[in-house]
């Protein structure tokens, strides 16, 4: 693809749309709870249950989320609803590793059952994950890391999950289009 890296990023992320959003919470070795959104987010396997997200390096190196997950081997994927949009956008700003985005944007937390990173209370569906593997792509300056996690436990708000069924009208997931453009999923068509 004969485009600059910046154009290629904008073109690919503007083409593969809409994308679900994983708000990933992870703990630094110093114990700071980090929260960052990732819309390059996918189901990798059902048995075992594996979810993955992809993080691009910043010019200075790996993002806090990647460093935390490599160090602690655990993280939570918190689903994102429409009502969380502004706070999620705010979480994506550059904060130093010593600052918790969770506190900065006014989210509250609930302890996880199997791992140390906490969950976001405002998220109606949360997955506790243990690092299964990382896969790296690209080279110096344009490195991308796919982080694959095995789901150890799922938590849902009252009325959102019944057996294996998820009530999407209650989940109200937010989709990412590009930049600051998001979409709602309220209007469902059956075909
Ligand atoms: C909705 C949304 C989705 C995003 N998806 C990704 C993504 O899939 N991969 C990525 O590297 N950055 C993505 N970003 C940017 C990161 O969230 C941002 O770089 C963040 O500051 C990383 O935080 P951290 O350094 O605390 O890990 C996204 C931002 C937003 C607002």
């Amino acid at each position: 693809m004969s485009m600059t890296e910046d154009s290629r990023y904008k073109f690919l992320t503007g083409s593969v749309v809409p994308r679900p959003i994983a708000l990933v919470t992870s703990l630094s070795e110093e114990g700071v709870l980090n929260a960052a959104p990732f819309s390059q987010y996918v189901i990798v396997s059902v048995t075992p249950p594996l979810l993955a997200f992809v993080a691009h390096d910043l010019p200075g190196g790996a993002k806090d989320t990647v460093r935390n997950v490599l160090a602690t081997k655990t993280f939570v994927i918190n689903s994102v609803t429409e009502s969380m949009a502004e706070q999620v956008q705010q979480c994506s700003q550059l904060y130093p590793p010593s600052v918790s985005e969770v506190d900065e944007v006014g989210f509250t937390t609930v302890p996880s059952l199997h791992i140390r990173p906490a969950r976001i209370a405002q998220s109606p569906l949360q997955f506790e994950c243990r690092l299964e593997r990382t896969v790296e792509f690209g080279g110096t300056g344009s490195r991308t890391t796919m982080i694959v996690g095995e789901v150890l436990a799922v938590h849902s708000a009252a009325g959102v999950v019944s057996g294996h069924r998820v009530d999407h009208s209650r989940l109200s997931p937010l989709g990412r289009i590009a930049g600051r453009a998001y979409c709602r999923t309220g209007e469902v068509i059956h075909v």
Side-chain angles (χ1 to χ4, degrees), residues 50-130:
L50 301 177
L51 299 176
F53 64 93
V54 170
H56 304 280
D57 270 11
L58 293 168
K63 292 185 175 175
D64 292 346
T65 302
V66 175
R67 283 192 282 106
N68 292 349
V69 170
L70 289 177
T72 65
K73 317 285 186 213
T74 52
F75 58 95
V76 179
I77 291 183
N78 303 272
S79 302
V80 171
T81 65
E82 281 177 30
S83 58
M84 295 163 67
E86 294 212 354
Q87 287 156 306
V88 162
Q89 178 64 47
Q90 233 183 308
C91 279
S92 74
Q93 287 169 18
L94 267 185
Y95 292 96
S98 56
V99 173
S100 173
E101 292 85 354
V102 178
D103 299 333
E104 290 294 308
V105 309
F107 280 140
T108 48
T109 60
V110 193
S112 293
L113 292 186
H114 302 277
I115 60 177
R116 285 183 59 228
R119 304 174 272 138
I120 300 291
Q122 285 76 9
S123 167
L125 190 56
Q126 310 132 352
F127 302 92
E128 290 186 30
C129 298
R130 176 173 54 213

